[in-house]
Amino acid sequence: MLEIVTDSPAQTEELGRRIAQKLGGGEVLALFGGMGMGKTAFTRGLADGLGISSGVSSPTFALVNEYHGRLTVYHFDMFRVDSWDDLYSTGFFDYLDTEAVLVIEWSENIEGALPPDAIRIEIAAGKTEQERVFQIEGIEP
Ligand SMILES: Nc1ncnc2c1ncn2[C@@H]1O[C@H](COP(=O)(O)OP(=O)(O)OP(=O)(O)O)[C@@H](O)[C@H]1O
Ligand SMILES: [Mg+2]
């Protein structure tokens, strides 16, 4: 497990960009951390690192956004998902075991459905307004 502290949204995006370079396709990135912790900022950087430069926002109503760059990314928001039926309807299981990268905001809500080899990224508040503490398991940025 690796701990990285960022001090601005730009630094969080940069971390996402660095992790993007390590992806080969087929990974599940499970993001944990409450509202405003920077899950979408991180995903924006990750997408940018894959050559996807616009359109990344919390897929709160769509539940999933799809982006195409060096790899295909399915970006989920599980904030409102609280049953297996809900989870099935996001398409999550259809995209597992494909060459796509799955990025999952609010992974807390689907903990039991995460594959055992998911890359886990937990974000917590730091000591200042702008600090975010990332705990990363399963990949080295
Ligand atoms: N170090 C930092 N990293 C990322 N965001 C930061 C940081 N410091 C401050 N912020 C601010 O925190 C907010 C992060 O928003 P973002 O949408 O990425 O969070 P989120 O975790 O996706 O929230 P939600 O659960 O509502 O989707 C932004 O307003 C951003 O400006
Ligand atoms: Mg978000």
Side-chain angles (χ1 to χ4, degrees), residues 39-40 57-59 75 77 105-106:
K39 301 180 294 297
T40 300
S57 58
S58 282
H75 176 199
D77 187 333
E105 298 199 30
W106 292 99

Side-chain angles (χ1 to χ4, degrees), residues 59-66 74-96 102-106 109-110 113:
T60 308
F61 296 103
L63 298 175
V64 59
N65 290 343
E66 180 178 347
Y74 292 99
H75 176 199
F76 294 90
D77 187 333
M78 301 301 185
F79 182 67
R80 288 185 166 73
V81 170
D82 61 7
S83 70
W84 285 91
D85 274 358
D86 281 358
L87 182 54
Y88 274 100
S89 69
T90 66
F92 174 76
F93 295 104
D94 304 325
Y95 306 132
L96 273 182
L102 276 55
V103 180
I104 306 162
E105 298 199 30
W106 292 99
N109 289 355
I110 64 150

